[in-house]
Amino acid sequence: MVTRRTPLPGVGTQYDVATRDGRHISVVAHEDGRRFVSFFAPEDPDACACTVPLEPEEAARLASVMAPERAEAGLGVAELGIDLVTERIPIEPDSPYRGRPMGDTKARTRTGASIVAVLRRTGAHPSPGPDFRLEAGDTLLVVGTREGVDDLADIVAGV
């Protein structure tokens, strides 16, 4: 089985899988968490036979069904009754936090969500401190409850 990973700037990443029997499956993982799974005709690996769009929750459920041993070996968050999400939040040019230190967002205090990394064209910045300056085009990698992450997205957008 062969897997090829192709970055899609501004969109996400495409993963192409060729199975041992010659079938071609493609997954496009969008930056916003959506996934598109495409199946290609065995007789023509360039002809898409079907595409299935999946929302983030649907993709996570499918992944847990496809590889339950990995889901069971995870952090056990579901067992504790805590629903955590991981999401990417862009810093738009009109964000009130563009050019300001990340600590000005008071993200964890106001929302309970944590900014675990800042993704920038020049590279990833894991565990950024409060003095890390945000720039337009940055993407925040955030972990928290659904409500906390949504609230943080609103704060960063200036809503």
Side-chain angles (χ1 to χ4, degrees):
M1 187 167 74
V2 177
T3 303
R4 187 177 75 224
R5 180 180 183 273
T6 307
L8 303 172
V11 175
T13 305
Q14 179 173 329
Y15 300 90
D16 291 293
V17 178
T19 64
R20 286 187 183 99
D21 70 353
R23 295 181 187 270
H24 174 196
I25 301 167
S26 179
V27 176
V28 175
H30 285 250
E31 291 175 353
D32 65 4
R34 293 176 301 133
R35 303 290 189 262
F36 289 83
V37 181
S38 300
F39 302 91
F40 294 81
E43 59 279 354
D44 183 356
D46 294 324
C48 183
C50 174
T51 297
V52 179
L54 299 171
E55 292 297 319
E57 301 82 24
E58 296 167 328
R61 179 64 55 102
L62 179 59
S64 72
V65 170
M66 298 292 289
E69 63 284 351
R70 288 189 180 195
E72 290 168 7
L75 299 175
V77 171
E79 293 173 16
L80 299 174
I82 301 171
D83 292 322
L84 294 178
V85 297
T86 302
E87 213 166 276
R88 295 173 184 227
I89 300 174
I91 301 295
E92 301 291 347
D94 59 347
S95 170
Y97 295 98
R98 181 184 58 109
R100 292 174 55 190
M102 192 177 72
D104 286 0
T105 66
K106 296 184 177 21
R108 197 170 316 148
T109 302
R110 294 170 70 185
T111 68
S114 296
I115 300 171
V116 297
V118 176
L119 309 175
R120 193 171 274 171
R121 281 190 298 192
T122 58
H125 300 273
S127 303
D131 294 335
F132 185 90
R133 289 206 172 270
L134 300 173
E135 297 178 4
D138 284 352
T139 300
L140 307 179
L141 185 59
V142 178
V143 176
T145 63
R146 170 84 276 149
E147 182 181 5
V149 170
D150 288 346
D151 288 348
L152 182 53
D154 288 345
I155 289 168
V156 167
V159 176

